[in-house]
Amino acid sequence: MTKLSVNINKIATLRNARGGNNPNVVQVAKDCERFGAEGITVHPRPDERHIRYQDVLDLSEIVQTEFNIEGYPDRRFMDLVKRVKPAQATLVPDPPEAITSSTGWDTITHLTMLQDVVSELHESGVRVSIFINPEIKFFEPAKLTGTDRVELYTEPYAVQFPKNPTAAVAPYVEVAAIAKKLGLGLNAGHDLDLHNLAFLKESIPFLDEVSIGHALICDALYYGLENTIQMYRRKLDL
Protein backbone atom coordinates (compact mmCIF):
# COMPACT_ATOMS: atom_id res chain seq x y z
CA MET A 1 0.00 0.00 0.00
CA THR A 2 1.23 3.47 -0.87
CA LYS A 3 0.69 5.87 2.01
CA LEU A 4 -0.67 9.38 1.52
CA SER A 5 1.13 12.00 3.57
CA VAL A 6 -0.60 15.39 3.49
CA ASN A 7 1.71 18.41 3.47
CA ILE A 8 -0.03 21.12 5.52
CA ASN A 9 2.34 23.99 4.75
CA LYS A 10 -0.36 25.82 2.78
CA ILE A 11 -2.66 25.74 5.81
CA ALA A 12 0.02 27.61 7.72
CA THR A 13 0.44 30.05 4.84
CA LEU A 14 -3.26 30.92 5.05
CA ARG A 15 -3.09 31.31 8.80
CA ASN A 16 -0.02 33.53 8.64
CA ALA A 17 -1.69 35.83 6.11
CA ARG A 18 -3.94 37.22 8.84
CA GLY A 19 -2.13 36.28 12.03
CA GLY A 20 -3.94 34.56 14.84
CA ASN A 21 -4.67 30.88 14.65
CA ASN A 22 -7.29 30.49 11.94
CA PRO A 23 -7.06 28.00 10.33
CA ASN A 24 -5.66 25.97 13.20
CA VAL A 25 -2.73 23.94 11.90
CA VAL A 26 -2.91 21.38 14.69
CA GLN A 27 -6.63 20.82 14.20
CA VAL A 28 -6.21 20.46 10.44
CA ALA A 29 -3.54 17.80 11.00
CA LYS A 30 -5.91 15.91 13.28
CA ASP A 31 -8.67 16.20 10.70
CA CYS A 32 -6.43 15.00 7.86
CA GLU A 33 -5.66 11.87 9.85
CA ARG A 34 -9.32 11.38 10.73
CA PHE A 35 -10.24 11.73 7.05
CA GLY A 36 -7.80 9.03 5.95
CA ALA A 37 -4.30 10.48 5.59
CA GLU A 38 -1.58 8.05 6.68
CA GLY A 39 0.94 10.79 7.37
CA ILE A 40 1.46 14.50 7.98
CA THR A 41 4.31 16.37 6.27
CA VAL A 42 5.71 19.79 7.15
CA HIS A 43 8.58 21.77 5.71
CA PRO A 44 9.75 24.48 8.13
CA ARG A 45 11.92 27.11 6.47
CA PRO A 46 14.34 29.49 8.18
CA ASP A 47 12.05 32.52 7.67
CA GLU A 48 9.03 30.57 9.02
CA ARG A 49 6.86 31.97 6.23
CA HIS A 50 4.47 29.06 6.55
CA ILE A 51 5.15 26.26 9.04
CA ARG A 52 6.83 27.66 12.14
CA TYR A 53 9.26 25.75 14.28
CA GLN A 54 6.77 25.94 17.14
CA ASP A 55 4.19 24.32 14.86
CA VAL A 56 6.50 21.35 14.48
CA LEU A 57 6.76 20.99 18.24
CA ASP A 58 2.99 21.31 18.64
CA LEU A 59 2.30 18.80 15.89
CA SER A 60 4.73 16.30 17.36
CA GLU A 61 2.42 16.03 20.36
CA ILE A 62 -0.68 15.09 18.38
CA VAL A 63 0.24 13.36 15.10
CA GLN A 64 -0.81 9.72 15.37
CA THR A 65 0.23 8.60 11.90
CA GLU A 66 3.68 9.09 10.36
CA PHE A 67 5.15 12.55 10.97
CA ASN A 68 7.51 13.62 8.17
CA ILE A 69 9.68 16.73 8.53
CA GLU A 70 11.28 18.04 5.34
CA GLY A 71 14.06 20.55 5.13
CA TYR A 72 17.62 21.53 4.42
CA PRO A 73 19.85 19.94 7.07
CA ASP A 74 21.32 23.04 8.66
CA ARG A 75 22.00 22.98 12.38
CA ARG A 76 18.63 24.37 13.40
CA PHE A 77 16.77 21.79 11.30
CA MET A 78 18.90 18.96 12.63
CA ASP A 79 18.39 20.00 16.23
CA LEU A 80 14.64 20.26 15.67
CA VAL A 81 14.41 16.80 14.12
CA LYS A 82 16.52 15.25 16.84
CA ARG A 83 14.29 16.84 19.47
CA VAL A 84 11.01 15.81 17.86
CA LYS A 85 12.13 12.38 16.58
CA PRO A 86 9.55 12.11 13.78
CA ALA A 87 8.96 8.90 11.88
CA GLN A 88 10.88 10.37 8.95
CA ALA A 89 13.13 13.27 8.02
CA THR A 90 13.28 14.14 4.32
CA LEU A 91 16.43 15.98 3.31
CA VAL A 92 16.07 18.57 0.55
CA PRO A 93 18.79 20.79 -0.97
CA ASP A 94 16.76 24.01 -0.90
CA PRO A 95 18.54 27.30 -0.23
CA PRO A 96 16.81 29.48 2.40
CA GLU A 97 15.23 31.80 -0.19
CA ALA A 98 13.63 29.01 -2.24
CA ILE A 99 9.87 29.31 -2.75
CA THR A 100 9.54 25.55 -3.09
CA SER A 101 11.76 22.56 -3.79
CA SER A 102 13.11 22.69 -7.32
CA THR A 103 15.65 19.87 -7.60
CA GLY A 104 17.03 16.86 -5.82
CA TRP A 105 20.41 16.26 -4.23
CA ASP A 106 23.60 15.79 -6.19
CA THR A 107 24.50 12.74 -4.13
CA ILE A 108 27.89 12.52 -5.78
CA THR A 109 29.09 15.99 -4.84
CA HIS A 110 27.46 15.95 -1.40
CA LEU A 111 28.09 12.32 -0.50
CA THR A 112 30.24 12.91 2.57
CA MET A 113 27.96 15.58 4.00
CA LEU A 114 24.90 13.41 3.48
CA GLN A 115 26.61 10.44 5.09
CA ASP A 116 27.28 12.54 8.19
CA VAL A 117 23.72 13.89 8.33
CA VAL A 118 22.10 10.50 7.82
CA SER A 119 24.30 8.95 10.49
CA GLU A 120 23.42 11.69 12.98
CA LEU A 121 19.69 11.29 12.38
CA HIS A 122 19.91 7.51 12.63
CA GLU A 123 21.47 7.92 16.06
CA SER A 124 18.18 9.56 17.09
CA GLY A 125 16.14 6.72 15.62
CA VAL A 126 14.76 8.74 12.71
CA ARG A 127 14.15 7.18 9.29
CA VAL A 128 15.79 9.26 6.55
CA SER A 129 14.69 9.98 2.99
CA ILE A 130 16.73 11.95 0.45
CA PHE A 131 15.04 14.08 -2.21
CA ILE A 132 16.46 12.98 -5.56
CA ASN A 133 16.12 13.60 -9.29
CA PRO A 134 15.21 10.68 -11.60
CA GLU A 135 18.79 10.30 -12.83
CA ILE A 136 20.50 6.92 -12.60
CA LYS A 137 23.88 8.35 -11.60
CA PHE A 138 22.57 9.61 -8.25
CA PHE A 139 21.19 6.32 -6.92
CA GLU A 140 24.24 4.25 -6.02
CA PRO A 141 25.76 7.25 -4.21
CA ALA A 142 22.41 7.69 -2.45
CA LYS A 143 22.70 4.14 -1.19
CA LEU A 144 26.20 4.95 0.09
CA THR A 145 24.84 7.76 2.24
CA GLY A 146 23.07 5.18 4.41
CA THR A 147 19.63 6.66 3.73
CA ASP A 148 16.60 4.44 4.22
CA ARG A 149 14.61 5.89 1.35
CA VAL A 150 14.77 8.27 -1.56
CA GLU A 151 11.97 10.63 -2.59
CA LEU A 152 11.58 11.05 -6.33
CA TYR A 153 11.27 14.70 -7.38
CA THR A 154 8.21 14.52 -9.60
CA GLU A 155 7.81 18.02 -11.01
CA PRO A 156 9.33 17.00 -14.39
CA TYR A 157 6.84 14.12 -14.52
CA ALA A 158 3.94 16.44 -13.75
CA VAL A 159 4.98 18.97 -16.40
CA GLN A 160 5.31 16.40 -19.18
CA PHE A 161 2.35 14.23 -18.14
CA PRO A 162 -0.40 16.12 -20.06
CA LYS A 163 1.54 15.79 -23.32
CA ASN A 164 2.87 12.25 -23.05
CA PRO A 165 2.24 10.25 -19.85
CA THR A 166 4.32 7.26 -20.96
CA ALA A 167 7.37 9.36 -21.76
CA ALA A 168 6.89 11.38 -18.58
CA VAL A 169 6.98 8.37 -16.31
CA ALA A 170 9.68 6.37 -18.13
CA PRO A 171 12.73 7.75 -16.26
CA TYR A 172 10.92 7.28 -12.96
CA VAL A 173 10.15 3.65 -13.69
CA GLU A 174 13.81 3.11 -14.56
CA VAL A 175 15.24 4.64 -11.41
CA ALA A 176 12.52 3.08 -9.24
CA ALA A 177 13.72 -0.34 -10.34
CA ILE A 178 17.27 0.64 -9.43
CA ALA A 179 16.17 1.89 -6.01
CA LYS A 180 14.34 -1.37 -5.37
CA LYS A 181 17.39 -3.40 -6.41
CA LEU A 182 19.56 -1.34 -4.06
CA GLY A 183 17.15 -1.94 -1.18
CA LEU A 184 16.07 1.68 -0.91
CA GLY A 185 12.52 2.57 0.08
CA LEU A 186 10.76 4.79 -2.41
CA ASN A 187 8.74 7.96 -1.84
CA ALA A 188 7.57 10.55 -4.37
CA GLY A 189 6.46 14.14 -4.25
CA HIS A 190 6.08 17.52 -5.94
CA ASP A 191 3.21 18.61 -8.20
CA LEU A 192 1.36 15.32 -7.88
CA ASP A 193 -2.40 15.77 -8.23
CA LEU A 194 -5.68 14.04 -9.04
CA HIS A 195 -4.79 13.94 -12.75
CA ASN A 196 -1.34 12.37 -12.66
CA LEU A 197 -1.20 10.41 -9.40
CA ALA A 198 -2.93 7.20 -10.45
CA PHE A 199 -0.71 6.74 -13.53
CA LEU A 200 2.42 7.13 -11.40
CA LYS A 201 1.10 4.56 -8.95
CA GLU A 202 0.18 2.14 -11.75
CA SER A 203 3.66 2.54 -13.23
CA ILE A 204 5.49 2.15 -9.89
CA PRO A 205 3.18 -0.02 -7.76
CA PHE A 206 5.72 -0.45 -4.96
CA LEU A 207 5.86 3.23 -3.99
CA ASP A 208 5.98 3.49 -0.20
CA GLU A 209 4.62 7.01 0.18
CA VAL A 210 3.59 10.13 -1.67
CA SER A 211 3.68 13.56 -0.06
CA ILE A 212 1.15 16.01 -1.48
CA GLY A 213 0.35 19.52 -0.32
CA HIS A 214 -0.35 22.34 -2.75
CA ALA A 215 -2.65 20.53 -5.17
CA LEU A 216 -4.50 18.70 -2.42
CA ILE A 217 -5.21 21.88 -0.45
CA CYS A 218 -6.32 23.66 -3.64
CA ASP A 219 -8.68 20.80 -4.44
CA ALA A 220 -10.04 20.95 -0.91
CA LEU A 221 -11.28 24.50 -1.60
CA TYR A 222 -13.71 22.99 -4.10
CA TYR A 223 -14.37 19.49 -2.82
CA GLY A 224 -13.85 19.83 0.93
CA LEU A 225 -10.91 18.42 2.86
CA GLU A 226 -12.45 15.08 3.81
CA ASN A 227 -13.71 14.33 0.32
CA THR A 228 -10.42 15.44 -1.24
CA ILE A 229 -8.31 13.17 0.93
CA GLN A 230 -10.57 10.27 0.03
CA MET A 231 -10.27 11.15 -3.66
CA TYR A 232 -6.48 11.08 -3.42
CA ARG A 233 -6.59 7.83 -1.48
CA ARG A 234 -8.66 6.20 -4.21
CA LYS A 235 -6.01 7.17 -6.76
CA LEU A 236 -3.50 5.19 -4.71
CA ASP A 237 -5.67 2.19 -3.83
CA LEU A 238 -5.22 0.43 -7.16
Side-chain angles (χ1 to χ4, degrees), residues 62-79:
I62 61 92
V63 172
Q64 300 297 309
T65 57
E66 289 200 348
F67 194 23
N68 173 43
I69 305 177
E70 298 180 344
Y72 182 83
D74 60 15
R75 190 69 259 160
R76 190 181 183 195
F77 176 85
M78 293 291 288
D79 289 344

Side-chain angles (χ1 to χ4, degrees), residues 98-120:
I99 295 175
T100 186
S101 302
S102 58
T103 190
W105 285 98
D106 179 341
T107 55
I108 301 168
T109 301
H110 299 289
L111 176 59
T112 300
M113 183 273 282
L114 289 169
Q115 286 174 327
D116 292 341
V117 169
V118 171
S119 177
E120 185 175 344

